[in-house]
Structure formats: C-alpha cells, structure tokens
Amino acid sequence: MSETQELTYADVSTHSGKKDLYVVVHDKVYNATTFIDEHPGGEEVLLDVGGQDATEAFEDVGHSDEAREILEGLLVGGLKRMPGDPAPRQTTSSISTSTAPKTEGASMGVGLYALVLLGGLAAFGAYKYLQMQSDSSK
C-alpha cells in the first residue's frame, strides 16, 4: 500500500472494530485488522486504541525493531490533520516527558534512597537501644 493516501481522524475513527481496525502512530495510518489475532499483547490492546491515535500507547510499551517492521507492512497512508483534531502527542509529550520527569525522577529516587537509609538507621538505633536496656536489666 502506498503512503500517498491521506485519511483524516474522522476517516480513521470509522475503522475501530475487530473486523476493520485502523490506528494512527506518528501521524501515519495503519490497518491492524490482519494483525489483531497475532498481536502478542492480545486483541484488547489494539481494540482499546482502534480508530484513534495510538502513538503514546505504542511508544510506552517500547516495541522492538521487528514490531516496527511489522507496523510498516500495515501502512495505509498518512494522517491529514483537520481543524479540531487532537494535537499530536508524540513530539510535544516525548520532549517534555524526556526532560522534566527525568530530573524529577532522579531527585525522587535520591529522596527515596535517603528515606530508606534513614529508616534503616533508626531501626538499627532502636535495636541497639533495646539491646542495651535488656543487658542493663540483667
């Protein structure tokens, strides 16, 4: 199939059933109908994003190069954006999530590590204190 065909979100949304399933990934439209029974994650995963933009779901899973090759074999055409269509998520959210949460996640990881360390020290201190109390009462 050639990428010269352009479909709108309205076109894609009409293909959301098990026997006729289109998905949008990175502004390209794919016909996943023939792959629905072979999908390793099960048909429900594809049916949940059928007829809509599946870019975020596709990228969140971290598909292999082989999965991306299979996807290219299902290509129907490009997505023609119309006024009122949802904004593309892959570029803006990828950039913002790749910068902001990494810093936030790193500081959260350090904070969590510090909390566990302090908790361990407190438990050790309590153990030693109780041990001293039991030794002095003998």
Side-chain angles (χ1 to χ4, degrees):
M1 294 188 193
S2 127
E3 192 177 339
T4 56
Q5 185 179 3
E6 283 192 322
L7 292 105
T8 64
Y9 269 114
D11 297 330
V12 173
S13 69
T14 64
H15 303 274
S16 60
K18 183 175 179 175
K19 296 181 188 239
D20 183 25
L21 186 72
Y22 282 17
V23 293
V24 175
V25 178
H26 295 294
D27 284 350
K28 292 181 181 178
V29 180
Y30 300 94
N31 183 346
T33 309
T34 58
F35 188 68
I36 194 164
D37 291 327
E38 300 171 33
H39 189 262
E43 68 182 37
E44 298 82 21
V45 176
L46 289 176
L47 290 171
D48 284 345
V49 294
Q52 50 189 310
D53 192 339
T55 303
E56 191 173 341
F58 183 83
E59 293 301 338
D60 283 350
V61 172
H63 283 89
S64 66
D65 290 338
E66 182 181 356
R68 292 173 190 279
E69 288 175 18
I70 292 170
L71 186 66
E72 286 306 311
L74 304 174
L75 183 65
V76 172
L79 179 69
K80 181 178 181 181
R81 293 197 170 274
M82 303 297 282
D85 285 348
R89 296 184 218 161
Q90 74 275 13
T91 52
T92 53
S93 67
S94 300
I95 292 169
S96 64
T97 56
S98 66
T99 55
K102 284 185 182 176
T103 307
E104 183 181 310
S107 62
M108 180 63 176
V110 171
L112 185 59
Y113 178 73
L115 183 65
V116 169
L117 184 62
L118 288 173
L121 286 172
F124 179 73
Y127 170 76
K128 284 302 213 179
Y129 175 77
L130 290 172
Q131 191 176 29
M132 282 184 359
Q133 292 292 11
S134 74
D135 286 346
S136 66
S137 67
K138 291 183 180 180

